[in-house]
Amino acid sequence: MSKAENAARARARIAASPKDSQLAALEIAHPELSARVRIINDGQSRDRVVGGRKYIALGFEARIATDAPDRVPAAELAIDNVGRELTAWIDGARATASGIHGITVRVMIVTARADTPVATPDYDVTMDVLQITATSRTVTARLGFDPLLGRAGVTLRHDPATSPGLF
């Protein structure tokens, strides 16, 4: 094999399995709980250090927010429920399908290389939990923002649809 062929194979191998990988990390918080849940979606089941904090490798799936005109945009997050810790944390936060107050999720994209710690995330956004459900296999949460600016300023607005006798 020629030297050029070996170099081409090396480039192809590096392209097929890069040293850097993009990972998603979550930091779930609630004001009443002392410890935050920190997880990272590492397919190799390796715990990682991001910003000096340890993130536990745990599988999760994220779905992008829908942008329908009649609905509030909300992303969906499904976390593998592999033990009692996450379920106990949800119960401790008093999170139910009808009432969630103060639970926030910081979603981060980090570039990881081998086992080296990640100094800062490449991208992050903090969203509120709008709804949460837990089963024996997954914990599913709807994430979004409180539509404060989209609310009506008054309880009842008089227009032809609500008060047809006035118009």
Side-chain angles (χ1 to χ4, degrees):
M1 222 183 270
S2 69
K3 198 173 200 177
E5 244 179 84
N6 285 339
R9 283 182 188 228
R11 281 194 305 274
R13 183 174 38 83
I14 290 170
S17 60
K19 293 178 183 175
D20 295 347
S21 59
Q22 292 283 322
L23 301 175
L26 301 176
E27 186 175 274
I28 306 169
H30 189 274
E32 293 182 8
L33 298 175
S34 59
R36 294 178 180 216
V37 175
R38 292 183 177 94
I39 60 174
I40 192 159
N41 196 5
D42 190 353
Q44 299 175 359
S45 298
R46 276 191 295 202
D47 295 348
R48 301 276 186 159
V49 176
V50 178
R53 307 208 174 190
K54 183 179 178 182
Y55 285 73
I56 298 168
L58 186 64
F60 61 87
E61 178 185 343
R63 292 184 200 95
I64 304 298
T66 57
D67 195 16
D70 58 336
R71 292 183 46 198
V72 175
E76 191 170 290
L77 180 68
I79 303 169
D80 294 345
N81 189 4
V82 294
R84 294 184 182 185
E85 295 172 355
L86 188 57
T87 308
W89 190 89
I90 291 169
D91 291 341
R94 291 191 293 263
T96 62
S98 61
I100 300 165
H101 304 289
I103 298 178
T104 58
V105 177
R106 181 180 177 205
V107 181
M108 297 171 278
I109 303 297
V110 297
T111 302
R113 174 174 277 196
D115 289 329
T116 58
V118 178
T120 58
D122 299 329
Y123 169 81
D124 69 307
V125 63
T126 302
M127 296 192 287
D128 297 323
V129 175
L130 303 175
Q131 180 182 17
I132 194 164
T133 56
T135 65
S136 61
R137 293 181 182 252
T138 60
V139 175
T140 306
R142 281 189 43 230
L143 308 176
F145 301 101
D146 186 15
L148 180 64
L149 297 177
R151 293 183 189 160
V154 294
T155 307
L156 179 63
R157 187 176 127 187
H158 293 286
D159 60 11
T162 58
S163 303
L166 296 177
F167 294 93

